[in-house]
Amino acid sequence: MSVVEAVLADLTESAERAIVVDSPPGAGKSTLVVRAARHLTAAGHSLMIVAQTNEQVDDLIDRLAGADPGLLIGRLSAANYQASERVEAHRNVLVAQKADAFTDRPVVIATSAKWATLTEGSWPWAIVDEAYQMRSDMLLRIAGRFERALFVGDPGQLDPFSTVDVERWAGLSWDPMQSAVAVLLAHNPHLVPHRLPVSWRLPVSAARVVAEAFYPYTTFEAGTSAAERRLEFSTRGMAGAYDRALDEAARSGWAWYELPARHTIRTDAEAVQAIAALALRLLQRGAVAHSERGSSPVGADRIAIGAAHRDQVTAIRNALRGSAAEEITVDTANRLQGREYDVTLVLHPLSGRRDATAFHLESGRLCVLTSRHRHACIVVGRAGIPELLDAHPSTEPVHLNVPVKFPDGWEANQSVLAHLSRHRVAADR
Amino acid sequence: MSTLTALARIEAARTGSAQPLATVRHCHLGEQPLVLIPLKLSGEAAAPLAAMVGTARKDPALLVVAQPRNRDLRFGFAAELAALVLSYVESRQAGTETVPTKDGEGRQRYSDAPQVLVPNPGGITFLRLLGRSTRFRRIDGPYPVEASVPLLGRWLTWLCDRAEQPGSSVLMPMTSMLAGHWATGQSTFEDANLGALLGWLDPPEGMTGPQAALRAEDPLLCPPAGPTTDPGFDNEELAPLLAAYDRAPADQARMAATDRLRRALRRQLEPTWELMWRSIELLRALPEGAHVTGRWEGDRESFTHFAEGVPEGFPQAKRDSAVAAARRLIRLERAQDELDVQRALDDPLVMAEHRLTGEAFAGIVVAAQPDRLDTTGKTPKLRPYLQVRTSDPLRVADGDTVHNAGRKGQKALVVDVNAGTVLLELSSGMGRKRVAEPGSVPEVGDRVCFTTFAADFHRSPVLPPLEQTPWTHGGPPEAYVPGDDEAVAYPPTAADALEVWE
């Protein structure tokens, strides 16, 4: 029995109040959510679906409504929400601000923040998507709305964060700064999470690297073979370092475009310029992606650029403005979670820094940035990051009762860098 | 570190003197703050050794524990400290003001609140532990303490809890206050040393910042600001003095030993005492930010509320329940958001950081249609157009909503962005009529600043009551039954008076 079948069987047969499913990047999490929702409604249950952002809610609605046009779906939203095109395209979706409007609808879906405003009403089932991104205090606010729940998420991605830095709850099993799943498992230690074992997104070249660095004890494999995924260019490259980096990425799935070592401010002008030039060059050379889904050109909509900080994102967007690459998605790791592209370009979080803080060492950040692609990932950064890491071992305080988290961000960073060093292309001087 | 802060630090390192990071003071500084410098015995979690306390520079009180390993003496120290702290707290309750309430009767709020200043964040950690070790003590039974001791614990706990709230001014570490207003040319780690930090900010005559900071690293010239003491002092002075106290055969000899200890500790504390008051002078010289009064009002509100509950209430719980923790975290995050926005609105130098990142822009109004009406809807609505020219890097795009930094509650829609000019459509903050209230629409030639962020109004979060704590968070906590070794009520009773040591 496959993992998905086991999960579906649990939904209707197990007596547990919670079912947890861990999913590595691109392992079919959304597909599972859609199947579980249809499985439950087919069995006559009504259910609520919780996602973390409006974007995620709309994505899920699109998939669910498309998979089952006969299923009536309610989309609970805030007053200032404007239905996106992909939601409005489905006639079986009703958007409203109050849950009363959905009494006849078996599926009601909203962001966790919206669910938290409800003071009454209860559903026999909930599906919580991206549950590792949700903070425990949010789960506390919505847990009264459902009897049983399926939690689905990726434990390797970014932990939920807080704008305040308080240690007073460290070690408490209900620490509100922890993720919803961490707190749920702490109070229900008998629950054993299911694990989806195959990544359908990551190519063979990336699955092993990402699994080793970020999922050391819960490894997964690529669902496709190396021969199935191929990236080629319509035009030959010239002699420059940009083209060498692109060729390396097309050949091996990875490229490390290395600028000379230097301490810089966060919006390192040279790095920003390099990443913009690489993106533009990628478009100019007319990349074509061949995969199990067939062959298609890699347009601006199939490329993403990721960075750690918002000001870096702004700087890169400004650098692309007015060029053919303007339409490319540029965003922070937080916003790229759950997204998928053919090729990604990443500004390394530690590039040009003098220190390595917990923020920059967080393994989830690098994991998100290096696991969005179906074909190739090009990382841009300055030389000297391994030395920087060696000078800044993690010094986070250790608290009693707080489970040690794997992987360690420092080690994960080293592991990825060690791999990237084999695909190094030095910038032209 | 933001670009402007980095620049200020480089500039400080280059010139050898500190550079401003703020043009106004972003914290409240009352007429009579209580300066408190605690010292602890090294090797112990929270064994008080000494404290210098007072509200007047010329009149510090020195409290000393002659033998910190003796718990009776420790709690004697706590009682002495309680006398000072509690009378200070009481003195803040002298005046009240009436706050209007919905029922029209109004309620009373203290017009002042305590403000305790410690040298560094370590001082707060120590006070938290001291509060934890005193607030559950019994006043009768086997190991009684004075009635003021558990009360001190509750007040210290309130101060430390409140200090976690961003923007609160009831308990503040001096190093953080100073570092929030000035940049030095040394690392943030070195900034945690009050002496070195003040060396950059206010070097002695004839010295540069780096020279004064280097001098402050010598523990003989400039003893540490606590709560940890200098290891050299521990070994060479403190250990022999404590041993002499232990060996003293009679009361008289013990008093002499105590006197010698007091003199030694005074020498350790006095330099820091001076540094604290010099820091206060520096901060006082800055004008207060516009929103500081409002945040201090929140502190006074919390003070009034807590003071009302003291006579009948219980000591604060050892740890937050799941519901209480969630509620507190949400409150802290909202306070942080509010503080960030208010600091930017109060201070052009802080706003400059946001302008650099494109989260705000400032410029001159070059054209305006103050009486433009939007007639597309059923009723015409006042929607003035403003054209703003700016040289700031722009990140706003058509359709974004921005907020007028100079006029609270005034929003505008970005209609068009074109090479350094932004066309805005004002949508609120102009009164309710079809003609704008005089002065509510910026005029041609005015300098304006618009931000992409604003202090949002938040509805209070919906949280389940404690008894409905969900199964995902361990279910409702069991009703609390005080154990044999715990006191909960105030005043504590004699029934089960044993020490609580965790």
Side-chain angles (χ1 to χ4, degrees):
Chain A
M1 191 160 60
S2 78
V3 176
V4 175
E5 280 161 5
V7 172
L8 296 182
D10 265 6
L11 284 176
T12 36
E13 284 154 31
S14 139
E16 291 291 352
R17 292 190 77 173
I19 300 162
V20 179
V21 183
D22 288 357
S23 162
K29 184 164 56 62
S30 311
T31 312
L32 172 70
V33 169
V34 169
R35 282 189 68 178
R38 297 182 65 189
H39 186 79
L40 285 169
T41 50
H45 298 291
S46 64
L47 73 139
M48 58 186 273
I49 300 183
V50 186
Q52 308 313 318
T53 63
N54 277 314
E55 196 80 359
Q56 289 167 2
V57 169
D58 289 357
D59 280 349
L60 268 179
I61 288 180
D62 192 19
R63 294 191 67 148
L64 189 57
D68 188 350
L71 184 66
L72 293 179
I73 300 171
R75 202 278 191 221
L76 197 59
S77 72
N80 58 1
Y81 167 78
Q82 289 196 322
S84 58
E85 279 171 26
R86 56 191 194 284
V87 170
E88 280 183 332
H90 297 286
R91 305 183 64 181
N92 51 335
V93 180
L94 177 70
V95 180
Q97 290 162 32
K98 292 255 164 70
D100 317 348
F102 304 131
T103 42
D104 59 331
R105 300 203 161 227
V107 178
V108 181
I109 174 166
T111 60
S112 52
K114 180 64 189 176
W115 282 116
T117 62
L118 264 62
T119 50
E120 52 183 24
S122 176
W123 279 258
W125 271 98
I127 298 179
V128 182
D129 192 16
E130 299 289 2
Y132 285 90
Q133 262 178 273
M134 182 162 85
R135 235 170 42 186
S136 128
D137 60 327
M138 192 55 96
L139 179 60
L140 176 79
R141 291 162 74 182
I142 64 172
R145 302 279 80 76
F146 55 81
E147 296 294 321
R148 302 176 61 192
L150 168 67
F151 293 84
V152 185
D154 180 352
Q157 298 215 356
L158 281 166
D159 276 336
F161 68 99
S162 169
T163 50
V164 292
D165 187 18
V166 181
E167 283 186 354
R168 65 182 291 137
W169 304 296
L172 289 184
S173 57
W174 52 72
D175 180 352
M177 313 261 245
Q178 293 282 319
S179 82
V181 182
V183 168
L184 173 79
L185 292 178
H187 289 105
N188 300 274
H190 57 282
L191 290 177
V192 180
H194 293 276
R195 285 197 186 100
L196 297 177
V198 177
S199 173
W200 300 101
R201 173 194 307 149
L202 293 177
V204 176
S205 60
R208 199 179 42 81
V209 179
V210 171
E212 268 177 21
F214 303 108
Y215 302 83
Y217 301 114
T218 53
T219 190
F220 60 90
E221 281 169 5
T224 52
S225 70
E228 279 176 282
R229 295 275 175 91
R230 209 152 47 76
L231 188 67
E232 63 178 19
F233 298 108
S234 313
T235 58
R236 291 243 330 246
M238 291 180 286
Y242 293 141
D243 278 339
R244 271 185 281 128
L246 292 179
D247 290 334
E248 175 66 22
R251 188 188 62 76
S252 71
W254 293 98
W256 164 239
Y257 185 82
E258 189 179 82
L259 293 156
R262 190 179 157 195
H263 289 150
T264 66
I265 58 170
R266 251 177 14 198
T267 50
D268 177 0
E270 283 174 17
V272 166
Q273 200 268 331
I275 210 163
L278 279 164
L280 187 60
R281 193 76 193 121
L282 180 61
L283 282 178
Q284 284 170 346
R285 288 187 61 188
V288 179
H290 304 283
S291 75
E292 69 284 4
R293 295 182 192 164
S295 301
S296 58
V298 180
D301 60 326
R302 298 301 306 151
I303 304 174
I305 303 180
H309 292 282
R310 287 215 310 263
D311 50 1
Q312 296 171 333
V313 166
T314 309
I316 296 170
R317 278 189 195 147
N318 284 339
L320 294 177
R321 191 163 291 167
S323 78
E326 187 170 356
E327 298 296 312
I328 290 177
T329 305
V330 187
D331 236 321
T332 55
N334 300 60
R335 303 272 185 94
L336 289 175
Q337 293 195 100
R339 309 239 123 202
E340 177 175 299
Y341 301 88
D342 282 339
V343 181
T344 56
L345 294 111
V346 174
L347 178 55
H348 197 287
L350 292 168
S351 170
R353 289 193 64 84
R354 286 179 57 238
D355 58 355
T357 67
F359 175 91
H360 300 93
L361 284 179
E362 187 175 348
S363 64
R365 181 157 285 102
L366 194 62
C367 178
V368 170
L369 291 171
T370 53
S371 62
R372 302 299 97 203
H373 61 281
R374 284 173 58 82
H375 289 274
C377 177
I378 303 169
V379 185
V380 175
R382 296 214 167 252
I385 298 179
E387 291 77 11
L388 173 73
L389 282 172
D390 288 346
H392 290 86
S394 358
T395 51
E396 289 302 286
V398 175
H399 295 282
L400 292 177
N401 266 340
V402 178
V404 179
K405 205 172 168 286
F406 284 103
D408 174 61
W410 188 88
E411 205 174 320
N413 262 287
Q414 292 279 29
S415 164
V416 170
L417 282 169
H419 177 79
L420 285 174
S421 67
R422 295 197 276 276
H423 305 281
R424 173 175 174 272
V425 174
D428 291 329
R429 294 264 172 169
Chain B
M1 201 190 318
S2 70
T3 311
L4 272 189
T5 311
L7 184 67
R9 286 183 166 278
I10 293 168
E11 192 70 6
R14 197 176 63 83
T15 58
S17 65
Q19 300 293 313
L21 287 177
T23 59
V24 295
R25 175 157 41 80
H26 292 285
C27 51
H28 173 85
L29 194 51
E31 292 288 308
Q32 243 191 351
L34 182 76
V35 174
L36 170 53
I37 311 170
L39 289 187
K40 73 180 187 75
L41 186 71
S42 44
E44 297 268 339
L49 172 63
M52 199 165 253
V53 198
T55 54
R57 187 174 193 159
K58 296 219 169 62
D59 183 27
L62 174 69
L63 310 181
V64 165
V65 188
Q67 174 45 278
R69 293 182 183 96
N70 179 332
R71 284 183 182 164
D72 290 336
L73 294 181
R74 272 192 219 176
F75 288 106
F77 165 90
E80 284 180 67
L81 183 64
L84 294 170
V85 171
L86 295 180
S87 78
Y88 174 71
V89 166
E90 202 173 308
S91 72
R92 302 297 101 185
Q93 298 173 330
T96 60
E97 61 192 25
T98 308
V99 187
T101 52
K102 271 186 194 152
D103 58 16
E105 292 198 356
R107 59 189 173 81
Q108 297 298 303
R109 174 167 66 203
Y110 292 125
S111 35
D112 202 355
Q115 180 172 40
V116 180
L117 302 178
V118 294
N120 48 38
I124 295 187
T125 307
F126 176 77
L127 292 185
R128 178 179 295 120
L129 289 173
L130 190 62
R132 174 66 185 76
S133 76
T134 48
R135 71 180 191 264
F136 295 105
R137 297 307 312 270
R138 265 15 88 77
I139 56 174
D140 45 18
Y143 301 101
V145 295
E146 291 203 21
S148 61
V149 170
L151 200 53
L152 171 75
R154 292 169 68 190
W155 275 107
L156 288 180
T157 306
W158 173 76
L159 284 167
C160 294
D161 281 353
R162 186 74 195 164
E164 282 179 353
Q165 168 128 343
S168 163
S169 298
V170 295
L171 172 60
M172 285 188 292
M174 189 55 80
T175 49
S176 313
M177 288 166 85
L178 294 175
H181 293 87
W182 288 277
T184 67
Q186 62 187 358
S187 70
T188 48
F189 182 74
E190 290 162 311
D191 277 351
N193 177 349
L194 183 62
L197 180 57
L198 212 55
W200 278 89
L201 264 54
D202 185 18
E205 199 64 33
M207 269 191 183
T208 65
Q211 287 167 344
L214 197 62
R215 180 184 172 275
E217 283 180 14
D218 183 346
L220 294 179
L221 295 171
C222 192
T228 327
T229 45
D230 167 39
F233 166 79
D234 287 348
N235 291 329
E236 285 154 35
E237 285 195 65
L238 187 61
L241 287 169
L242 292 181
Y245 175 87
D246 286 340
R247 279 196 313 269
D251 280 356
Q252 210 179 352
R254 207 170 288 142
M255 269 169 67
T258 309
D259 272 349
R260 282 200 296 279
L261 185 66
R262 286 182 69 88
R263 281 198 295 276
L265 285 165
R266 186 182 290 278
R267 282 195 299 278
Q268 287 292 301
L269 282 161
E270 258 172 353
T272 307
W273 181 258
E274 276 306 306
L275 293 178
M276 288 295 282
W277 288 96
R278 259 167 70 204
S279 309
I280 291 174
E281 276 174 11
L282 286 178
L283 284 164
R284 262 201 221 290
L286 285 175
E288 193 175 83
H291 281 97
V292 171
T293 319
R295 294 200 292 270
W296 180 241
E297 195 176 286
D299 283 333
R300 291 191 286 123
E301 193 69 57
S302 170
F303 172 54
T304 309
H305 184 75
F306 183 71
E308 278 167 359
V310 161
E312 316 215 320
F314 299 95
Q316 295 92 331
K318 286 179 200 162
R319 48 186 83 88
D320 294 343
S321 69
V323 176
R327 179 172 289 123
R328 189 190 292 267
L329 176 59
I330 295 166
R331 182 163 54 80
L332 296 184
E333 288 192 317
R334 287 181 179 178
Q336 180 70 55
D337 291 350
E338 218 174 79
L339 176 67
D340 291 343
V341 173
Q342 292 182 348
R343 271 168 49 88
L345 295 180
D346 287 355
D347 190 339
L349 205 50
V350 179
M351 185 62 93
E353 303 261 15
H354 296 286
R355 287 169 57 193
L356 265 183
T357 57
E359 285 170 301
F361 63 91
I364 306 283
V365 180
V366 289
Q369 290 178 40
D371 43 14
R372 176 182 169 271
L373 294 178
D374 176 2
T375 51
T376 52
K378 274 185 203 152
T379 50
K381 283 176 286 190
L382 180 65
R383 290 289 181 270
Y385 267 171
L386 285 188
Q387 193 148 31
V388 181
R389 183 177 300 148
T390 172
S391 54
D392 292 352
L394 284 170
R395 199 170 91 184
V396 291
D398 307 0
D400 287 356
T401 300
V402 290
H403 307 263
N404 188 347
R407 194 173 170 81
K408 199 182 169 199
Q410 185 160 67
K411 285 191 216 170
L413 190 72
V414 178
V415 181
D416 187 40
V417 184
N418 190 6
T421 51
V422 185
L423 182 63
L424 298 171
E425 185 193 82
L426 293 187
S427 57
S428 57
M430 301 166 290
R432 296 178 163 273
K433 305 199 195 77
R434 240 180 255 176
V435 180
E437 298 273 329
S440 66
V441 176
E443 293 172 15
V444 174
D446 281 0
R447 188 170 173 76
V448 289
C449 178
F450 282 87
T451 60
T452 55
F453 50 85
D456 292 335
F457 168 77
H458 293 288
R459 236 179 293 168
S460 51
V462 181
L463 285 165
L466 188 66
E467 62 276 11
Q468 284 175 27
T469 307
W471 55 279
T472 53
H473 287 65
E478 283 173 28
Y480 183 66
V481 182
D484 286 346
D485 57 348
E486 283 176 290
V488 283
Y490 183 83
T493 57
D496 42 16
L498 283 167
E499 277 193 71
V500 186
W501 295 107
E502 280 197 80

